Amino acid sequence: MSHALQKSTKSKPLISAQRHWLNGLVCNHQKFWKKLGDFESKVLEFDIEPIKIDRPVYVCGLARSGSTVLLEFLASHRDFVSHKYSDFPFIFTPYLWRKLQKILMMKPSKPVERFHGDGIKVTSESPEAMEEVLWMHFFKGLHNLDTPERLKDTAALQRFFDFYLPHIKKLLFQSKAPRYLAKGNYNIARIDKIIAAVPDAKFIVPVRSPVSHVESLLRQHENFLTKTKGQKRAVKHLQRVGHFEFGADIRPIYLGQDDVYHSILDLFKSGEMVRGYARYWAYVYDYIYTQYVESPSVLCYRYEDFCDKSHEMLTDIADFSGVSYKPAALDMWAEYIQRPSYYKTNLKARDLKIIADETKQTAALWGYSS
């Protein structure tokens, strides 16, 4: 297991004992690794101090909205550096670990379909969301369900950005790329915080129609439950990387409105997943629309347009991100992007009604009719 959770078999665990031990070497001793990261920054201070963090791009939103393909498209541009699967668990020391990998001539793993079973193949060098490990370190209990208001600690925010901004500069310096790219769904709750620290940061938020989105979330939830059943190391791995969207330890993003947030939690706890995910969809996208749909720092687009008018949408995304692609590259990506065809709908009439009831008002804001 070199880069992602693999498909479960009776004879092979999702996370090997060796990998679990290696991950624990960092995750169980984060204070030490954070200090080592500070030391790394100090050693490289002369090199990274002049580097400007120029218009970093953040892909965020709700899982299953096409964000992985979007990340891969942007990461294919030579101007961007992003975290990779191979950066975990040594996320606190990105320069040292990437240099060591080169010295050891570590080769990328072979492409395999990722755990989601959605046809996307990844290697150890594929871009991936890894920032959450850092956020969780600086904000203890960040994802605890009983303490939803987590980012008001200004001192913790200052400590985080004191570490995080040099961290980005080290990735830029090591890769010789001029721009930083990150995927992190939970960053929709932190857009203002990131802009305060990096004023020219850009955020891209895909929106997907409520029926297909909720169904996709449901399928992945069941997929994660099934594949991680009896796999304690796999569940621990998901917790360590901050992946709480599906499975046994599902934890929704907190965006205020305590009554709505806690009602979503109650629905998840009671197993009412259709209504829970539908209400969650409305909760997230109502927040995005209200707070950021007119923000020049945020680009929102519909997933269906991304699939059906790929060339046009990819051009818009590239323009917003401040990069240009050769026509042949845009043509290739436009041909690759399409609506998923790997499953048929299994939603019943009562499920469709629940989704419509929960999402109708918010869906209308995004041009979706019930």
Side-chain angles (χ1 to χ4, degrees):
M1 218 302 298
S2 59
H3 58 278
L5 290 176
Q6 303 296 312
K7 290 186 176 182
S8 177
T9 65
K10 290 183 179 179
S11 59
K12 186 177 181 181
L14 296 171
I15 298 289
S16 68
Q18 294 87 348
R19 180 69 178 183
H20 182 70
W21 175 85
L22 181 64
N23 292 346
L25 187 66
V26 177
C27 296
N28 296 336
H29 307 281
Q30 289 191 2
K31 288 184 178 180
F32 167 79
W33 289 94
K34 187 266 179 185
K35 289 181 179 178
L36 190 58
D38 287 333
F39 179 71
E40 179 184 69
S41 298
K42 189 66 177 177
V43 171
L44 295 172
E45 184 176 14
F46 179 80
D47 297 296
I48 67 174
E49 196 278 331
I51 294 176
K52 181 181 185 297
I53 300 176
D54 177 31
R55 297 164 294 155
V57 175
Y58 293 84
V59 175
C60 52
L62 200 53
R64 309 306 300 163
S65 60
S67 56
T68 296
V69 174
L70 171 61
L71 175 70
E72 290 183 335
F73 165 67
L74 291 169
S76 70
H77 198 284
R78 65 177 181 271
D79 280 3
F80 285 119
V81 60
S82 180
H83 285 116
K84 306 178 288 188
Y85 281 102
S86 61
D87 288 330
F88 186 79
F90 301 105
I91 192 75
F92 291 90
T93 52
Y95 183 87
L96 175 64
W97 175 232
R98 290 193 175 192
K99 279 292 186 182
L100 185 59
Q101 289 180 82
K102 285 189 175 182
I103 292 171
L104 298 176
M105 293 184 289
M106 297 174 65
K107 296 181 179 179
S109 60
K110 294 180 180 179
V112 295
E113 185 180 34
R114 64 181 187 155
F115 185 72
H116 303 67
D118 54 8
I120 296 177
K121 292 187 176 182
V122 296
T123 75
S124 56
E125 294 300 289
S126 296
E128 176 58 334
M130 287 295 166
E131 278 196 4
E132 203 61 23
V133 177
L134 302 179
W135 285 95
M136 290 190 299
H137 173 74
F138 284 90
F139 295 90
K140 301 304 179 185
L142 181 63
H143 294 288
N144 287 355
L145 299 179
D146 57 346
T147 55
E149 191 58 72
R150 303 163 178 98
L151 298 177
K152 286 188 174 180
D153 187 339
T154 55
L157 272 172
Q158 186 62 55
R159 289 193 296 271
F160 171 78
F161 283 110
D162 284 347
F163 184 87
Y164 177 67
L165 298 182
H167 177 89
I168 293 175
K169 289 185 175 185
K170 286 184 289 188
L171 286 170
L172 296 172
F173 176 62
Q174 186 276 327
S175 65
K176 294 180 173 57
R179 306 277 301 282
Y180 175 65
L181 168 69
K183 176 188 171 186
N185 292 331
Y186 294 97
N187 281 335
I188 60 170
R190 308 159 187 160
I191 291 176
D192 289 350
K193 304 292 190 300
I194 294 172
I195 289 177
V198 191
D200 61 356
K202 295 176 174 291
F203 299 82
I204 306 178
V205 183
V207 185
R208 186 173 180 179
S209 68
V211 171
S212 66
H213 202 163
V214 169
E215 182 172 19
S216 186
L217 290 165
L218 287 167
R219 286 182 177 273
Q220 284 307 318
H221 178 66
E222 291 298 326
N223 178 40
F224 273 61
L225 281 176
T226 300
K227 291 181 177 178
T228 61
K229 185 177 181 180
Q231 299 261 357
K232 292 183 179 180
R233 292 198 295 263
V235 174
K236 186 65 176 178
H237 177 81
L238 294 171
Q239 293 170 338
R240 284 170 166 173
V241 297
H243 194 330
F244 301 107
E245 284 102 342
F246 323 108
D249 196 13
I250 184 172
R251 309 184 196 185
I253 303 168
Y254 177 75
L255 300 170
Q257 300 183 64
D258 285 13
D259 55 340
V260 180
Y261 178 76
H262 287 292
S263 73
I264 295 168
L265 289 180
D266 291 340
L267 289 168
F268 285 160
K269 290 175 183 177
S270 65
E272 295 183 64
M273 302 309 297
V274 174
R275 190 176 295 280
Y277 272 127
R279 190 170 298 177
Y280 188 29
W281 185 96
Y283 175 69
V284 169
Y285 288 119
D286 182 72
Y287 172 84
I288 291 295
Y289 191 91
T290 301
Q291 299 292 327
Y292 299 112
V293 75
E294 295 183 357
S295 170
S297 300
V298 181
L299 172 67
C300 302
Y301 68 85
R302 302 197 317 175
Y303 171 76
E304 295 74 24
D305 296 332
F306 184 67
C307 295
D308 298 341
K309 300 184 289 185
S310 299
H311 202 285
E312 177 184 337
M313 291 305 306
L314 290 172
T315 301
D316 289 346
I317 290 167
D319 288 346
F320 175 80
S321 302
V323 292
S324 60
Y325 287 78
K326 293 182 179 179
L330 281 178
D331 291 342
M332 180 193 71
W333 279 100
E335 184 177 350
Y336 171 69
I337 295 167
Q338 55 187 319
R339 295 200 188 204
S341 58
Y342 46 82
Y343 58 74
K344 295 180 180 180
T345 182
N346 287 321
L347 291 176
K348 298 178 181 179
R350 66 173 180 271
D351 296 329
L352 294 172
K353 185 178 186 307
I354 288 172
I355 295 171
D357 290 344
E358 291 287 343
T359 66
K360 184 177 181 178
Q361 290 185 342
T362 303
L365 296 175
W366 297 102
Y368 295 115
S369 59
S370 58

